[in-house]
Amino acid sequence: MKHLQVVLVLSIAVSVWECGDAKFGERGEIGPRRRRCYDGSLPKRLKKRERKVLLDGSNSGEVCHRLYPRVSCCPTRRAAYQILHRRDARIFSTNNTDCGHLLEEIKCARCSPNAQMLFHSLDMDKVPHREPDLPRLCLDFCREFYYTCRGHIPELFQADVDEFCQYYGRRDASLCFPDFQRKQLQGQDSNFLEDEKRKHKHNCYCAQEVLSGLRQPVAVVHCGDGSQRLFVLEREGIVRILNHDLELIKEPFLDIHKLVQNGLKGGDERGLLSLAFHPNYKKNGKLYVSYTTNQERWAIGPHDHILRVVEYTVSRKNPNQVDMRSVRVLMEVAELHRKHLGGQLLFSPDGLLHIVLGDGMITLDDMEEMDGLSDFTGSVLRVDVDTDCCTSPYSIPQDNPYFNSTNQPPEIFAHGLHDPGRCAVDRLQTDNGSLLMICTDASGKNASAGRILEITKGKDYENEPSVYDLHSSGGAPPVGGFIYRGCQSRRLYGSYVFGDKNGNLRILQKSPLSTSAGGEQWQEKALCLGSAGSCGYLLVGHILGFGEDELGEVYMLASSKIMVQSNSGKLYKLVDPKRPPAPKECQRQVEPPELLMTACSRHCKNGHCTPTGQCCCSLGWEGPFCRVAKCEPACRNGGVCIEPNMCMCKSGYSGAQCEQSEQGMPNDQEKDGILDHIIDMTSYLLDLTSYIV
């Protein structure tokens, strides 16, 4: 009898606990036994036999029973299926695999035993006539969902990430979705780190935040001089330096924002495009920059802008600044439109400069209007800047495919590109010494599908098959990356890391296979990124570009804002969480940047130095290192040329060329002329003395 009384008391206590459960809106955290379904009913515990039947099913509704296998608000297969599919099909429909995985999970929030808490809040109750489409999302999951699905379900995302997650995200320490351990749905196509299945963690990497507050960064490069500095390009025309400790130097390395014509609207690609350092930069201090500018130097025509490639030399007094007086134009290309520009510069291991240009969305009619100025568009150009010729900034390599052609420009190395999203040259040359250059590109002039090309000499990629077609790009333009040759991640070694502008990262691996043709195949898969909880950082925003440091480690640039005025750009480093951030075997001694001390840079005062050290004289100067002024016509009767077209006559002669013989003592006018010559000569000697000092 006593046992029966105890049982009755416990039953009454349990009933009071559940029935006296605080309804939604009261303060306090809901405990695990105080759960409510979306309609306010209590969740049900599935029987073992029913749970086994549901888990063996194949319908999409069974996903929920895998996520909530014991206590669920969807106790039957039929009920789960109806709840999942009664929502607006336009909102929860996509062909993207990564986004689809997240949507399958989010649909199951209505099956959660905490569904009432997930779908109702004080903030949402302020809009009583609107049934919430999404549950309250955890902040990390909200950002991942926004950047993964934004490009595939645009009608759901009418605000930026901050506004979106402010409405749907968790605002306090209360319950948020996912309220289960996310482990069942993950696979090689997922970008998210699993929390419990440790056997899958080796597939995931971390994006370590290095720098924030950048204005539309487009590229990250290194100069290869041993200083391990990183140079970050901002599209408005500024290049900034990070030292070997990844600390930002206050003064910019290069500032040409007054020359650069950049666009403010989305899709406008104008601005600072690329920077490439000469392979022998440590000795000659040469660097090459490409940017868009206006058409002031061009005749009246249909051109919107010109794409200019220029050469600069680093300052002799400050290795962290460019000498702006050393500018020399290599090439200018007129362009009609503001998309598909390309403009990337990169050196191959053989020391040749490659210039990658998009098609500029130019048609055949446009080419006729531009009088052949668009012959370079959609091509990869290859030139040799190591030339001693002072009349031309570059020479044409004799093994270029169109070196002797009369129909194609000799600079063209390959053509048929549309919208190249950055190219990469493998720093590790193949066994036969051939060059491996990989580019991401659009499949067509008006297509958003992507492709990966292996650039080969003389190929026309208008008809040439691609190495890999990016069917899963989801409509976002591809952004090219780098072939990883770093040391920190051994399992990523040799993989081509790239992505798309929606923030989806991928890798492409080349694996030799025994095929009938005896060739090699490329395999693409998602690059798994860990969450903020597992990595400490989270990659958010549009992917704007990739970078590489001296040690071969890969960096990523992203921005959560489209407009160029915002300072939302960030720099991330791709790291392997299974290894130390800086293993001892990967460390290299840092060499401080040195001043430019070549003989040409010290003595060539009246000209410019070529990358090979030849001093090319400016107009009016000649001789070794351009130290002798050139007078045309030459001074006569022993006169000395002190400046271009200026003679200093010896006693007894006068005139511009010292051709007149003086008779007797000089008159007052002649004295004034002699005095002017003496003053000019004195001024010249003073300037020369101060310059030497």
Side-chain angles (χ1 to χ4, degrees):
M1 187 68 179
K2 292 183 179 180
H3 295 290
L4 180 60
Q5 291 177 351
V6 172
V7 171
L8 289 175
V9 170
L10 291 177
S11 301
I12 294 173
V14 170
S15 176
V16 171
W17 175 266
E18 293 185 348
C19 296
D21 185 16
K23 294 183 179 180
F24 185 81
E26 295 184 17
R27 297 183 179 181
E29 184 68 31
I30 292 183
R33 295 191 54 136
R34 305 172 66 187
R35 298 172 171 175
R36 293 287 179 180
C37 295
Y38 184 82
D39 58 359
S41 62
L42 292 173
K44 296 182 180 180
R45 181 176 295 274
L46 301 180
K47 297 180 180 180
K48 184 176 181 181
R49 183 179 62 182
E50 183 183 20
R51 187 167 61 247
K52 183 177 184 301
V53 172
L54 294 178
L55 291 177
D56 292 338
S58 58
N59 292 336
S60 60
E62 312 311 327
V63 174
C64 301
H65 297 290
R66 292 190 178 97
L67 301 180
Y68 305 107
R70 297 183 181 276
V71 180
S72 172
C73 291
C74 301
T76 64
R77 182 186 309 181
R78 182 177 180 182
Y81 185 82
Q82 290 176 345
I83 290 177
L84 288 181
H85 292 273
R86 73 185 182 187
R87 304 296 303 144
D88 189 348
R90 293 184 298 106
I91 295 180
F92 295 106
S93 62
T94 177
N95 294 326
N96 179 265
T97 304
D98 296 333
C99 180
H101 286 172
L102 295 181
L103 289 176
E104 286 182 353
E105 294 181 1
I106 291 177
K107 292 176 185 178
C108 296
R110 293 179 177 271
C111 296
S112 168
N114 304 303
Q116 189 181 63
M117 171 63 82
L118 294 177
F119 279 93
H120 295 87
S121 68
L122 292 175
D123 294 335
M124 291 183 178
D125 287 343
K126 295 177 182 178
V127 190
H129 300 293
R130 178 182 175 186
E131 185 179 4
D133 298 322
L134 300 174
R136 179 184 294 188
L137 304 175
C138 298
L139 184 58
D140 290 349
F141 185 89
C142 180
R143 289 181 173 271
E144 294 170 351
F145 173 63
Y146 181 89
Y147 288 113
T148 303
C149 295
R150 176 186 50 185
H152 314 293
I153 318 176
E155 58 270 18
L156 186 61
F157 304 98
Q158 301 297 329
D160 60 20
V161 62
D162 296 329
E163 296 175 350
F164 179 82
C165 292
Q166 184 179 4
Y167 182 80
Y168 285 110
R170 182 184 64 184
R171 298 163 186 79
D172 48 31
S174 60
L175 190 68
C176 60
F177 184 85
D179 58 336
F180 56 87
Q181 297 294 336
R182 301 176 67 240
K183 62 181 182 178
Q184 288 87 355
L185 294 182
Q186 309 302 330
Q188 73 171 12
D189 290 331
S190 174
N191 275 353
F192 308 107
L193 184 66
E194 299 173 5
D195 293 324
E196 287 193 346
K197 277 196 173 182
R198 305 190 67 87
K199 65 181 181 179
H200 291 295
K201 273 192 174 182
H202 69 276
N203 291 329
C204 298
Y205 300 84
C206 290
Q208 176 185 348
E209 184 176 322
V210 175
L211 181 65
S212 61
L214 298 172
R215 294 170 62 93
Q216 285 290 300
V218 294
V220 178
V221 296
H222 66 88
C223 61
D225 64 348
S227 64
Q228 299 184 19
R229 294 174 293 172
L230 283 177
F231 298 80
V232 183
L233 283 67
E234 294 179 323
R235 191 154 64 97
E236 62 182 352
I238 297 177
V239 180
R240 304 188 183 277
I241 299 181
L242 291 175
N243 61 18
H244 67 280
D245 291 326
L246 297 179
E247 298 174 349
L248 184 66
I249 297 178
K250 183 178 180 180
E251 296 297 327
F253 178 68
L254 177 66
D255 185 355
I256 54 174
H257 74 276
K258 294 183 179 180
L259 301 176
V260 173
Q261 184 184 28
N262 63 321
L264 303 180
K265 297 182 179 180
D268 192 334
E269 301 176 6
R270 294 176 302 169
L272 178 60
L273 302 176
S274 183
L275 165 65
F277 289 91
H278 193 281
N280 198 24
Y281 172 78
K282 187 173 183 179
K283 292 185 177 180
N284 61 31
K286 296 293 183 181
L287 57 134
Y288 300 85
V289 177
S290 63
Y291 61 90
T292 57
T293 186
N294 55 31
Q295 56 178 3
E296 290 178 357
R297 293 185 58 249
W298 291 74
I300 298 177
H303 327 304
D304 175 78
H305 63 274
I306 59 173
L307 191 152
R308 179 180 295 162
V309 181
V310 299
E311 175 192 272
Y312 284 105
T313 306
V314 70
S315 172
R316 292 194 310 113
K317 300 179 181 179
N318 187 353
N320 290 326
Q321 284 189 348
V322 169
D323 183 1
M324 300 301 297
R325 300 171 300 176
S326 64
V327 61
R328 191 163 62 122
V329 177
L330 265 70
M331 184 182 300
E332 289 182 331
V333 179
E335 295 181 321
L336 285 178
H337 305 289
R338 303 177 181 183
K339 295 182 179 181
H340 295 197
L341 303 183
Q344 185 187 6
L345 310 176
L346 68 163
F347 279 94
S348 57
D350 55 6
L352 298 177
L353 176 64
H354 292 72
I355 306 171
V356 184
L357 300 176
D359 60 20
M361 303 181 69
I362 296 176
T363 64
L364 294 176
D365 295 336
D366 295 333
M367 296 181 68
E368 293 178 359
E369 292 182 13
M370 298 179 71
D371 296 329
L373 294 177
S374 59
D375 290 344
F376 289 158
T377 57
S379 302
V380 177
L381 313 182
R382 186 175 71 159
V383 298
D384 186 2
V385 295
D386 291 339
T387 174
D388 291 333
C389 179
C390 295
T391 58
S392 177
Y394 62 84
S395 61
I396 308 298
Q398 294 186 4
D399 60 341
N400 271 14
Y402 303 105
F403 181 76
N404 295 319
S405 175
T406 58
N407 298 325
Q408 294 282 1
E411 292 90 344
I412 291 181
F413 181 73
H415 56 95
L417 304 181
H418 295 297
D419 185 18
R422 301 291 168 175
C423 302
V425 174
D426 192 356
R427 61 167 61 187
L428 183 66
Q429 288 186 286
T430 58
D431 296 336
N432 58 3
S434 61
L435 177 70
L436 177 59
M437 179 187 296
I438 295 181
C439 299
T440 54
D441 188 25
S443 297
K445 291 187 177 182
N446 298 317
S448 58
R451 59 177 181 169
I452 294 180
L453 306 175
E454 183 176 348
I455 303 300
T456 307
K457 180 174 66 174
K459 295 291 185 179
D460 180 4
Y461 292 97
E462 191 69 51
N463 305 311
E464 191 75 16
S466 58
V467 169
Y468 198 90
D469 292 322
L470 303 176
H471 299 296
S472 60
S473 62
V479 180
F482 285 86
I483 301 173
Y484 182 81
R485 294 298 180 184
C487 177
Q488 197 268 341
S489 177
R490 296 172 179 171
R491 54 195 174 97
L492 198 61
Y493 189 83
S495 300
Y496 177 61
V497 181
F498 66 102
D500 61 40
K501 291 189 177 181
N502 280 345
N504 302 311
L505 299 180
R506 320 290 292 180
I507 59 175
L508 199 68
Q509 295 176 333
K510 193 174 185 179
S511 57
L513 297 176
S514 299
T515 61
S516 59
E520 296 174 319
Q521 291 185 352
W522 295 79
Q523 295 179 342
E524 179 210 11
K525 64 179 181 179
L527 192 149
C528 175
L529 280 185
S531 63
S534 58
C535 292
Y537 298 93
L538 180 66
L539 176 67
V540 295
H542 305 272
I543 296 294
L544 302 179
F546 289 82
E548 185 184 44
D549 62 15
E550 284 191 50
L551 304 180
E553 303 300 331
V554 172
Y555 293 76
M556 298 162 289
L557 293 164
S559 176
S560 59
K561 303 289 184 180
I562 300 177
M563 300 301 291
V564 71
Q565 297 96 331
S566 64
N567 294 348
S568 61
K570 292 184 178 182
L571 174 65
Y572 298 88
K573 182 180 181 181
L574 187 64
V575 296
D576 190 341
K578 305 296 288 184
R579 300 199 69 209
K584 291 184 179 180
E585 66 270 19
C586 302
Q587 298 177 6
R588 301 291 183 271
Q589 185 176 0
V590 178
E591 302 177 16
E594 300 178 358
L595 295 176
L596 189 61
M597 295 298 293
T598 62
C600 182
S601 64
R602 293 197 311 267
H603 301 298
C604 186
K605 307 302 181 183
N606 302 306
H608 67 270
C609 297
T610 66
T612 57
Q614 176 73 21
C615 182
C616 296
C617 299
S618 302
L619 183 64
W621 298 92
E622 62 184 359
F625 296 112
C626 308
R627 288 304 188 93
V628 179
K630 183 179 181 182
C631 289
E632 291 293 346
C635 299
R636 302 178 183 179
N637 300 315
V640 178
C641 184
I642 57 175
E643 287 187 16
N645 301 321
M646 180 179 292
C647 297
M648 185 179 71
C649 303
K650 69 177 183 179
S651 179
Y653 294 92
S654 63
Q657 301 149 19
C658 305
E659 74 279 4
Q660 297 178 5
S661 177
E662 297 180 349
Q663 299 295 333
M665 298 297 293
N667 55 29
D668 293 339
Q669 184 177 0
E670 291 172 341
K671 289 180 180 179
D672 293 339
I674 294 174
L675 182 60
D676 291 340
H677 279 299
I678 294 175
I679 294 174
D680 293 338
M681 184 62 183
T682 304
S683 176
Y684 169 74
L685 293 176
L686 289 175
D687 292 341
L688 182 62
T689 303
S690 63
Y691 195 80
I692 295 175
V693 172

